[in-house]
Amino acid sequence: MKHQKLARHLSVNPAEIVFSISMEAVLSAIVKRMGKEALSLTVEEIELAKEEIKAAIEHNLDIRDFLDEGLDAWEITRNL
């Protein structure tokens, strides 16, 4: 059975997002870094910050490592 067909068979919602970073988290990080200066940011500056964060994640994130690590822990728990 192909991987995609197997995933559809096993999951009610194979397109479900397992993890994400919210704009609230982005804004919180900006405020933590900038303090009161964050209040003077424009919408364009905040949008640029969001895009830079997305680019950094896409550049550095290889989800295969996280999938393997999570599945290793899952298998250990499952086999106890």
Side-chain angles (χ1 to χ4, degrees), residues 19-22 26 49-63 66:
F19 183 81
S20 67
I21 297 175
S22 69
V26 170
K50 179 185 80 172
E51 292 304 318
E52 291 296 341
I53 290 167
K54 284 173 62 175
I57 291 168
E58 289 169 356
H59 178 74
N60 291 301
L61 184 63
D62 182 353
I63 65 167
F66 296 104

Side-chain angles (χ1 to χ4, degrees), residues 18-54:
V18 176
F19 183 81
S20 67
I21 297 175
S22 69
M23 262 316 280
E24 182 179 11
V26 170
L27 294 170
S28 180
I30 290 170
V31 169
K32 185 176 180 181
R33 179 175 286 213
M34 295 182 70
K36 289 183 181 181
E37 288 181 56
L39 295 172
S40 66
L41 292 172
T42 65
V43 172
E44 291 80 16
E45 290 173 313
I46 293 170
E47 188 68 25
L48 179 59
K50 179 185 80 172
E51 292 304 318
E52 291 296 341
I53 290 167
K54 284 173 62 175

Side-chain angles (χ1 to χ4, degrees), residues 3 9 12 15-16 19-20 47-48 64 69 73 75-76 79:
H3 290 288
H9 178 74
V12 174
E16 177 184 2
F19 183 81
S20 67
E47 188 68 25
L48 179 59
R64 292 173 296 187
E69 185 177 332
E75 282 183 320
I76 291 168
N79 291 323

